[in-house]
Each structure stands twice: as structure tokens, then as C-alpha cells.
Amino acid sequence: MPAVDPQKFFIDGVAFGWRSVLCSVDGIPRRGFRALDWSEKIEREKTHQAIRSGRPLNMTFGEYDVDALTLTMLPQEKQWLKAYLRDKVGSPSSVVRASFVFQIQLAENGYVITSTFNGCKMKTQKGSLKIGPESAETPVDLDCLYVVEKDANGETTMFDDLRDQDGGVGF
């Protein structure tokens, strides 16, 4: 049985790899990214009224947060990103003040999924020395305002756009 290449997996029987992915920073195409991990959450609270049972009546809209966003990239990509952010903010030493938009687009068999990470700022950078194929990967943690995903069916978000449009009444 042949060994499975960890850099590839299959979607509908088609090998998926980083050649199928386009990444950009503020619209500038980049190719040095190796992995992207993120999570979004909404923290809701239950609402109660003065009733005997104590049963909750509803939930709040909640607070939206991108609580984790990590880009894993090649070292030269990290150096490019830091230089780009230094130039953008106009400071030779500060890269944490500059915000940028990171976009990743997956295209397979005519189906395109685009994830846009808005208001990204560098939060932490990690370093380690390794031996092997992963030795050239550098993770960078980012803060992000919000994520929008788009596919053939339209845009989706974890937050409620209607609250912004109707003055906070999301019904």
C-alpha cells in the first residue's frame, strides 16, 4: 500500500493541495502560506423574566468574536509580511499596529470558496527549531475583526448583519 502524502487529501476523489489555493494580503497575491486555522464564536446569554419556573424565554444576539486565527507560513513569507506591515504603518520597528485583509480562495472542479479575514493585525509570532519537512514552517497568530465566507450560494457570516442595518432589532 503506497504511503499517503500528508500534503494532499481528496475532495470528491480529486487531490487537493496548495496549488488549488490562492492567498492574498491586501489584494497582493502570495504563495508562501502552509496552513490556516481559525475559529469563530458567538457568546449568547439566556434571558429570563419573573416567572415561577425559571425557564429561559430567549437568548441575546450574543457577542461575535474571531477567537483564534493562525497563519503558518514559510520564513521568507513571514519576513515579507513583516516588511509589508512596517512599510504600511510607516514605522521601521512596529508591525503590530498595521491592519490588513487576508483572503484565501479554494477552487476545485469549478467550485470556488473564498474566505476573507478583515481587520487582521499581528498578535504573536512563534519560533521553534525542527528537523524534517515541517522545519521551514512558522506560525503567526493574528487578531481579526470578522470573517466573511463566500461561495456560489452567496456570503455567509457568523454574525447578524441585520442588527447593523435596522438599528439593533434583529427580528
Side-chain angles (χ1 to χ4, degrees):
M1 178 180 227
V4 175
D5 182 355
Q7 298 298 320
K8 293 182 181 177
F9 63 94
F10 291 86
I11 298 175
D12 295 330
V14 177
F16 165 80
W18 280 99
R19 289 180 195 84
S20 305
V21 174
L22 299 174
C23 298
S24 68
V25 173
D26 284 346
I28 303 167
R30 301 303 302 169
R31 285 279 184 196
F33 297 100
R34 305 289 290 154
L36 173 65
D37 296 301
W38 79 93
S39 68
E40 301 170 85
K41 67 180 180 181
I42 295 181
E43 294 204 13
R44 295 182 175 97
E45 292 186 24
K46 295 176 183 173
T47 58
H48 296 82
Q49 237 179 357
I51 56 174
R52 285 186 187 195
S53 70
R55 176 181 56 86
L57 297 176
N58 211 336
M59 288 189 194
T60 62
F61 286 113
E63 294 292 322
Y64 169 81
D65 187 30
V66 179
D67 61 337
L69 174 58
T70 302
L71 284 174
T72 303
M73 59 190 81
L74 298 173
Q76 63 267 25
E77 191 68 22
K78 179 178 153 188
Q79 295 308 316
W80 177 88
L81 181 61
K82 288 168 70 174
Y84 173 76
L85 295 177
R86 276 193 303 269
D87 291 346
K88 186 173 183 176
V89 79
S91 170
S93 60
S94 179
V95 296
V96 296
R97 292 185 311 167
S99 67
F100 62 96
V101 174
F102 180 79
Q103 190 172 65
I104 186 166
Q105 189 173 70
L106 165 66
E108 284 293 340
N109 294 335
Y111 192 74
V112 178
I113 301 171
T114 304
S115 297
T116 305
F117 301 85
N118 297 281
C120 296
K121 290 186 177 188
M122 287 183 75
K123 180 166 62 171
T124 62
Q125 53 184 345
K126 302 170 188 171
S128 66
L129 295 173
K130 299 178 188 173
I131 297 175
E134 291 88 25
S135 62
E137 296 177 354
T138 305
V140 174
D141 292 331
L142 304 173
D143 281 325
C144 177
L145 292 178
Y146 63 97
V147 180
V148 177
E149 292 187 348
K150 184 177 181 179
D151 61 16
N153 298 316
E155 290 186 354
T156 58
T157 62
M158 285 275 297
F159 55 89
D160 187 0
D161 271 351
L162 294 177
R163 284 196 301 176
D164 297 335
Q165 297 169 7
D166 63 10
V169 183
F171 302 112

